[in-house]
PDB file of all heavy atoms in Angstrom:
ATOM      1  N   CYS F 246       3.939  19.615 -11.820  1.00  0.00           N
ATOM      2  CA  CYS F 246       5.123  20.151 -12.489  1.00  0.00           C
ATOM      3  C   CYS F 246       4.806  20.460 -13.951  1.00  0.00           C
ATOM      4  O   CYS F 246       5.159  21.516 -14.458  1.00  0.00           O
ATOM      5  CB  CYS F 246       6.262  19.143 -12.376  1.00  0.00           C
ATOM      6  SG  CYS F 246       7.795  19.718 -13.130  1.00  0.00           S
ATOM      7  N   ILE F 247       4.117  19.560 -14.621  1.00  0.00           N
ATOM      8  CA  ILE F 247       3.747  19.764 -16.022  1.00  0.00           C
ATOM      9  C   ILE F 247       2.831  20.977 -16.140  1.00  0.00           C
ATOM     10  O   ILE F 247       3.019  21.832 -16.997  1.00  0.00           O
ATOM     11  CB  ILE F 247       3.084  18.503 -16.606  1.00  0.00           C
ATOM     12  CG1 ILE F 247       4.124  17.389 -16.718  1.00  0.00           C
ATOM     13  CG2 ILE F 247       2.428  18.796 -17.948  1.00  0.00           C
ATOM     14  CD1 ILE F 247       3.529  16.022 -16.994  1.00  0.00           C
ATOM     15  N   ARG F 248       1.824  21.068 -15.263  1.00  0.00           N
ATOM     16  CA  ARG F 248       0.901  22.197 -15.293  1.00  0.00           C
ATOM     17  C   ARG F 248       1.657  23.506 -15.068  1.00  0.00           C
ATOM     18  O   ARG F 248       1.471  24.476 -15.786  1.00  0.00           O
ATOM     19  CB  ARG F 248      -0.185  22.025 -14.231  1.00  0.00           C
ATOM     20  CG  ARG F 248      -1.188  23.177 -14.253  1.00  0.00           C
ATOM     21  CD  ARG F 248      -1.948  23.342 -12.955  1.00  0.00           C
ATOM     22  NE  ARG F 248      -1.037  23.644 -11.873  1.00  0.00           N
ATOM     23  CZ  ARG F 248      -1.040  23.034 -10.688  1.00  0.00           C
ATOM     24  NH1 ARG F 248      -1.897  22.078 -10.445  1.00  0.00           N
ATOM     25  NH2 ARG F 248      -0.187  23.373  -9.755  1.00  0.00           N
ATOM     26  N   ASP F 249       2.539  23.527 -14.067  1.00  0.00           N
ATOM     27  CA  ASP F 249       3.294  24.748 -13.771  1.00  0.00           C
ATOM     28  C   ASP F 249       4.188  25.143 -14.942  1.00  0.00           C
ATOM     29  O   ASP F 249       4.273  26.317 -15.298  1.00  0.00           O
ATOM     30  CB  ASP F 249       4.122  24.565 -12.498  1.00  0.00           C
ATOM     31  CG  ASP F 249       3.257  24.465 -11.253  1.00  0.00           C
ATOM     32  OD1 ASP F 249       2.052  24.805 -11.317  1.00  0.00           O
ATOM     33  OD2 ASP F 249       3.776  24.024 -10.206  1.00  0.00           O
ATOM     34  N   ARG F 250       4.859  24.158 -15.550  1.00  0.00           N
ATOM     35  CA  ARG F 250       5.717  24.457 -16.714  1.00  0.00           C
ATOM     36  C   ARG F 250       4.876  24.955 -17.878  1.00  0.00           C
ATOM     37  O   ARG F 250       5.276  25.862 -18.607  1.00  0.00           O
ATOM     38  CB  ARG F 250       6.507  23.215 -17.114  1.00  0.00           C
ATOM     39  CG  ARG F 250       7.684  22.939 -16.217  1.00  0.00           C
ATOM     40  CD  ARG F 250       8.621  21.934 -16.832  1.00  0.00           C
ATOM     41  NE  ARG F 250       7.913  20.805 -17.400  1.00  0.00           N
ATOM     42  CZ  ARG F 250       8.195  19.536 -17.149  1.00  0.00           C
ATOM     43  NH1 ARG F 250       9.183  19.219 -16.359  1.00  0.00           N
ATOM     44  NH2 ARG F 250       7.505  18.570 -17.709  1.00  0.00           N
ATOM     45  N   CYS F 251       3.717  24.345 -18.056  1.00  0.00           N
ATOM     46  CA  CYS F 251       2.809  24.748 -19.134  1.00  0.00           C
ATOM     47  C   CYS F 251       2.377  26.196 -18.940  1.00  0.00           C
ATOM     48  O   CYS F 251       2.447  27.006 -19.867  1.00  0.00           O
ATOM     49  CB  CYS F 251       1.604  23.819 -19.157  1.00  0.00           C
ATOM     50  SG  CYS F 251       0.334  24.278 -20.343  1.00  0.00           S
ATOM     51  N   MET F 252       1.946  26.525 -17.733  1.00  0.00           N
ATOM     52  CA  MET F 252       1.503  27.895 -17.456  1.00  0.00           C
ATOM     53  C   MET F 252       2.650  28.885 -17.645  1.00  0.00           C
ATOM     54  O   MET F 252       2.454  29.955 -18.239  1.00  0.00           O
ATOM     55  CB  MET F 252       0.933  27.998 -16.039  1.00  0.00           C
ATOM     56  CG  MET F 252      -0.404  27.328 -15.867  1.00  0.00           C
ATOM     57  SD  MET F 252      -0.923  27.438 -14.151  1.00  0.00           S
ATOM     58  CE  MET F 252      -2.679  27.574 -14.353  1.00  0.00           C
ATOM     59  N   ALA F 253       3.826  28.534 -17.179  1.00  0.00           N
ATOM     60  CA  ALA F 253       4.988  29.424 -17.323  1.00  0.00           C
ATOM     61  C   ALA F 253       5.328  29.629 -18.793  1.00  0.00           C
ATOM     62  O   ALA F 253       5.597  30.756 -19.233  1.00  0.00           O
ATOM     63  CB  ALA F 253       6.184  28.857 -16.568  1.00  0.00           C
ATOM     64  N   ALA F 254       5.304  28.547 -19.580  1.00  0.00           N
ATOM     65  CA  ALA F 254       5.617  28.647 -21.006  1.00  0.00           C
ATOM     66  C   ALA F 254       4.588  29.511 -21.732  1.00  0.00           C
ATOM     67  O   ALA F 254       4.944  30.322 -22.598  1.00  0.00           O
ATOM     68  CB  ALA F 254       5.680  27.260 -21.628  1.00  0.00           C
ATOM     69  N   LEU F 255       3.318  29.342 -21.383  1.00  0.00           N
ATOM     70  CA  LEU F 255       2.280  30.166 -22.007  1.00  0.00           C
ATOM     71  C   LEU F 255       2.455  31.638 -21.662  1.00  0.00           C
ATOM     72  O   LEU F 255       2.339  32.503 -22.527  1.00  0.00           O
ATOM     73  CB  LEU F 255       0.891  29.675 -21.578  1.00  0.00           C
ATOM     74  CG  LEU F 255       0.448  28.362 -22.194  1.00  0.00           C
ATOM     75  CD1 LEU F 255      -0.749  27.783 -21.441  1.00  0.00           C
ATOM     76  CD2 LEU F 255       0.112  28.543 -23.666  1.00  0.00           C
ATOM     77  N   ARG F 256       2.752  31.912 -20.419  1.00  0.00           N
ATOM     78  CA  ARG F 256       2.961  33.314 -20.005  1.00  0.00           C
ATOM     79  C   ARG F 256       4.169  33.921 -20.711  1.00  0.00           C
ATOM     80  O   ARG F 256       4.146  35.084 -21.103  1.00  0.00           O
ATOM     81  CB  ARG F 256       3.116  33.398 -18.490  1.00  0.00           C
ATOM     82  CG  ARG F 256       1.786  33.291 -17.776  1.00  0.00           C
ATOM     83  CD  ARG F 256       1.900  33.743 -16.328  1.00  0.00           C
ATOM     84  NE  ARG F 256       0.597  33.773 -15.726  1.00  0.00           N
ATOM     85  CZ  ARG F 256       0.177  32.900 -14.822  1.00  0.00           C
ATOM     86  NH1 ARG F 256       0.960  31.930 -14.398  1.00  0.00           N
ATOM     87  NH2 ARG F 256      -1.033  32.998 -14.317  1.00  0.00           N
ATOM     88  N   GLU F 257       5.235  33.124 -20.869  1.00  0.00           N
ATOM     89  CA  GLU F 257       6.425  33.621 -21.575  1.00  0.00           C
ATOM     90  C   GLU F 257       6.092  34.014 -23.008  1.00  0.00           C
ATOM     91  O   GLU F 257       6.716  34.905 -23.577  1.00  0.00           O
ATOM     92  CB  GLU F 257       7.529  32.564 -21.559  1.00  0.00           C
ATOM     93  CG  GLU F 257       8.254  32.441 -20.241  1.00  0.00           C
ATOM     94  CD  GLU F 257       9.294  31.331 -20.255  1.00  0.00           C
ATOM     95  OE1 GLU F 257       9.728  30.922 -21.355  1.00  0.00           O
ATOM     96  OE2 GLU F 257       9.657  30.870 -19.165  1.00  0.00           O
ATOM     97  N   LYS F 258       5.107  33.335 -23.594  1.00  0.00           N
ATOM     98  CA  LYS F 258       4.699  33.644 -24.972  1.00  0.00           C
ATOM     99  C   LYS F 258       3.631  34.733 -25.020  1.00  0.00           C
ATOM    100  O   LYS F 258       3.089  35.013 -26.084  1.00  0.00           O
ATOM    101  CB  LYS F 258       4.185  32.373 -25.645  1.00  0.00           C
ATOM    102  CG  LYS F 258       5.278  31.351 -25.870  1.00  0.00           C
ATOM    103  CD  LYS F 258       4.728  30.111 -26.543  1.00  0.00           C
ATOM    104  CE  LYS F 258       5.847  29.109 -26.767  1.00  0.00           C
ATOM    105  NZ  LYS F 258       5.385  27.914 -27.472  1.00  0.00           N
ATOM    106  N   GLY F 259       3.299  35.321 -23.866  1.00  0.00           N
ATOM    107  CA  GLY F 259       2.353  36.433 -23.845  1.00  0.00           C
ATOM    108  C   GLY F 259       0.906  36.061 -23.607  1.00  0.00           C
ATOM    109  O   GLY F 259       0.016  36.906 -23.773  1.00  0.00           O
ATOM    110  N   TYR F 260       0.632  34.819 -23.227  1.00  0.00           N
ATOM    111  CA  TYR F 260      -0.739  34.385 -22.991  1.00  0.00           C
ATOM    112  C   TYR F 260      -1.174  34.660 -21.557  1.00  0.00           C
ATOM    113  O   TYR F 260      -0.378  34.533 -20.626  1.00  0.00           O
ATOM    114  CB  TYR F 260      -0.891  32.881 -23.248  1.00  0.00           C
ATOM    115  CG  TYR F 260      -0.858  32.509 -24.696  1.00  0.00           C
ATOM    116  CD1 TYR F 260       0.340  32.318 -25.361  1.00  0.00           C
ATOM    117  CD2 TYR F 260      -2.044  32.343 -25.407  1.00  0.00           C
ATOM    118  CE1 TYR F 260       0.376  31.975 -26.699  1.00  0.00           C
ATOM    119  CE2 TYR F 260      -2.024  31.995 -26.747  1.00  0.00           C
ATOM    120  CZ  TYR F 260      -0.805  31.817 -27.384  1.00  0.00           C
ATOM    121  OH  TYR F 260      -0.773  31.470 -28.703  1.00  0.00           O
ATOM    122  N   ARG F 261      -2.447  35.000 -21.407  1.00  0.00           N
ATOM    123  CA  ARG F 261      -3.070  35.056 -20.085  1.00  0.00           C
ATOM    124  C   ARG F 261      -3.614  33.672 -19.775  1.00  0.00           C
ATOM    125  O   ARG F 261      -4.099  32.987 -20.672  1.00  0.00           O
ATOM    126  CB  ARG F 261      -4.249  36.033 -20.065  1.00  0.00           C
ATOM    127  CG  ARG F 261      -3.879  37.472 -20.288  1.00  0.00           C
ATOM    128  CD  ARG F 261      -5.117  38.342 -20.443  1.00  0.00           C
ATOM    129  NE  ARG F 261      -5.789  37.981 -21.702  1.00  0.00           N
ATOM    130  CZ  ARG F 261      -7.090  38.110 -21.928  1.00  0.00           C
ATOM    131  NH1 ARG F 261      -7.891  38.581 -21.005  1.00  0.00           N
ATOM    132  NH2 ARG F 261      -7.609  37.778 -23.094  1.00  0.00           N
ATOM    133  N   ILE F 262      -3.565  33.273 -18.521  1.00  0.00           N
ATOM    134  CA  ILE F 262      -4.151  32.000 -18.086  1.00  0.00           C
ATOM    135  C   ILE F 262      -5.564  32.308 -17.621  1.00  0.00           C
ATOM    136  O   ILE F 262      -5.768  33.080 -16.679  1.00  0.00           O
ATOM    137  CB  ILE F 262      -3.338  31.365 -16.935  1.00  0.00           C
ATOM    138  CG1 ILE F 262      -1.868  31.205 -17.322  1.00  0.00           C
ATOM    139  CG2 ILE F 262      -3.973  30.050 -16.491  1.00  0.00           C
ATOM    140  CD1 ILE F 262      -1.615  30.351 -18.540  1.00  0.00           C
ATOM    141  N   ILE F 263      -6.554  31.722 -18.295  1.00  0.00           N
ATOM    142  CA  ILE F 263      -7.956  32.006 -17.994  1.00  0.00           C
ATOM    143  C   ILE F 263      -8.655  30.721 -17.559  1.00  0.00           C
ATOM    144  O   ILE F 263      -8.688  29.734 -18.296  1.00  0.00           O
ATOM    145  CB  ILE F 263      -8.679  32.609 -19.223  1.00  0.00           C
ATOM    146  CG1 ILE F 263      -7.958  33.874 -19.709  1.00  0.00           C
ATOM    147  CG2 ILE F 263     -10.145  32.880 -18.896  1.00  0.00           C
ATOM    148  CD1 ILE F 263      -7.900  35.009 -18.710  1.00  0.00           C
ATOM    149  N   ALA F 264      -9.214  30.762 -16.357  1.00  0.00           N
ATOM    150  CA  ALA F 264      -9.973  29.628 -15.828  1.00  0.00           C
ATOM    151  C   ALA F 264     -11.401  29.709 -16.355  1.00  0.00           C
ATOM    152  O   ALA F 264     -11.997  30.787 -16.406  1.00  0.00           O
ATOM    153  CB  ALA F 264      -9.977  29.674 -14.301  1.00  0.00           C
ATOM    154  N   THR F 265     -11.952  28.588 -16.775  1.00  0.00           N
ATOM    155  CA  THR F 265     -13.359  28.538 -17.170  1.00  0.00           C
ATOM    156  C   THR F 265     -14.131  27.996 -15.976  1.00  0.00           C
ATOM    157  O   THR F 265     -13.811  26.930 -15.451  1.00  0.00           O
ATOM    158  CB  THR F 265     -13.563  27.650 -18.409  1.00  0.00           C
ATOM    159  OG1 THR F 265     -13.076  26.340 -18.136  1.00  0.00           O
ATOM    160  CG2 THR F 265     -12.833  28.227 -19.613  1.00  0.00           C
ATOM    161  N   VAL F 266     -15.113  28.758 -15.536  1.00  0.00           N
ATOM    162  CA  VAL F 266     -15.836  28.415 -14.305  1.00  0.00           C
ATOM    163  C   VAL F 266     -17.335  28.643 -14.487  1.00  0.00           C
ATOM    164  O   VAL F 266     -17.742  29.498 -15.275  1.00  0.00           O
ATOM    165  CB  VAL F 266     -15.324  29.256 -13.113  1.00  0.00           C
ATOM    166  CG1 VAL F 266     -13.880  28.929 -12.779  1.00  0.00           C
ATOM    167  CG2 VAL F 266     -15.487  30.739 -13.369  1.00  0.00           C
ATOM    168  N   PRO F 267     -18.150  27.904 -13.754  1.00  0.00           N
ATOM    169  CA  PRO F 267     -19.604  28.128 -13.835  1.00  0.00           C
ATOM    170  C   PRO F 267     -20.079  29.124 -12.771  1.00  0.00           C
ATOM    171  O   PRO F 267     -21.014  28.848 -12.025  1.00  0.00           O
ATOM    172  CB  PRO F 267     -20.171  26.726 -13.596  1.00  0.00           C
ATOM    173  CG  PRO F 267     -19.190  26.097 -12.668  1.00  0.00           C
ATOM    174  CD  PRO F 267     -17.840  26.661 -13.059  1.00  0.00           C
ATOM    175  N   ARG F 268     -19.406  30.282 -12.686  1.00  0.00           N
ATOM    176  CA  ARG F 268     -19.758  31.277 -11.663  1.00  0.00           C
ATOM    177  C   ARG F 268     -19.966  32.633 -12.315  1.00  0.00           C
ATOM    178  O   ARG F 268     -19.146  33.078 -13.115  1.00  0.00           O
ATOM    179  CB  ARG F 268     -18.634  31.417 -10.631  1.00  0.00           C
ATOM    180  CG  ARG F 268     -18.282  30.186  -9.872  1.00  0.00           C
ATOM    181  CD  ARG F 268     -17.293  30.525  -8.758  1.00  0.00           C
ATOM    182  NE  ARG F 268     -16.292  31.509  -9.139  1.00  0.00           N
ATOM    183  CZ  ARG F 268     -14.984  31.240  -9.300  1.00  0.00           C
ATOM    184  NH1 ARG F 268     -14.529  30.027  -9.107  1.00  0.00           N
ATOM    185  NH2 ARG F 268     -14.141  32.189  -9.638  1.00  0.00           N
ATOM    186  N   ALA F 269     -21.021  33.289 -11.928  1.00  0.00           N
ATOM    187  CA  ALA F 269     -21.320  34.604 -12.500  1.00  0.00           C
ATOM    188  C   ALA F 269     -20.407  35.699 -11.979  1.00  0.00           C
ATOM    189  O   ALA F 269     -20.422  36.815 -12.504  1.00  0.00           O
ATOM    190  CB  ALA F 269     -22.784  34.960 -12.220  1.00  0.00           C
ATOM    191  N   ASP F 270     -19.547  35.416 -10.969  1.00  0.00           N
ATOM    192  CA  ASP F 270     -18.616  36.447 -10.503  1.00  0.00           C
ATOM    193  C   ASP F 270     -17.388  36.542 -11.409  1.00  0.00           C
ATOM    194  O   ASP F 270     -16.549  37.418 -11.232  1.00  0.00           O
ATOM    195  CB  ASP F 270     -18.208  36.210  -9.047  1.00  0.00           C
ATOM    196  CG  ASP F 270     -17.455  34.908  -8.832  1.00  0.00           C
ATOM    197  OD1 ASP F 270     -17.656  33.958  -9.617  1.00  0.00           O
ATOM    198  OD2 ASP F 270     -16.672  34.832  -7.872  1.00  0.00           O
ATOM    199  N   ALA F 271     -17.288  35.666 -12.396  1.00  0.00           N
ATOM    200  CA  ALA F 271     -16.225  35.731 -13.399  1.00  0.00           C
ATOM    201  C   ALA F 271     -16.709  36.645 -14.527  1.00  0.00           C
ATOM    202  O   ALA F 271     -17.834  37.132 -14.520  1.00  0.00           O
ATOM    203  CB  ALA F 271     -15.929  34.337 -13.931  1.00  0.00           C
ATOM    204  N   LYS F 272     -15.880  36.867 -15.520  1.00  0.00           N
ATOM    205  CA  LYS F 272     -16.250  37.699 -16.667  1.00  0.00           C
ATOM    206  C   LYS F 272     -17.054  36.842 -17.652  1.00  0.00           C
ATOM    207  O   LYS F 272     -16.681  35.721 -17.973  1.00  0.00           O
ATOM    208  CB  LYS F 272     -14.996  38.241 -17.343  1.00  0.00           C
ATOM    209  CG  LYS F 272     -15.303  39.207 -18.483  1.00  0.00           C
ATOM    210  CD  LYS F 272     -14.083  39.920 -18.959  1.00  0.00           C
ATOM    211  CE  LYS F 272     -13.616  40.913 -17.969  1.00  0.00           C
ATOM    212  NZ  LYS F 272     -14.044  42.272 -18.160  1.00  0.00           N
TER     213      LYS F 272
END
Side-chain angles (χ1 to χ4, degrees):
C246 182
I247 291 167
R248 181 201 62 228
D249 291 346
R250 283 194 315 231
C251 175
M252 288 177 146
L255 287 165
R256 283 195 173 108
E257 284 177 21
K258 292 180 180 183
Y260 287 84
R261 295 172 292 152
I262 305 301
I263 304 298
T265 58
V266 295
R268 300 188 321 249
D270 63 333
K272 185 169 289 264

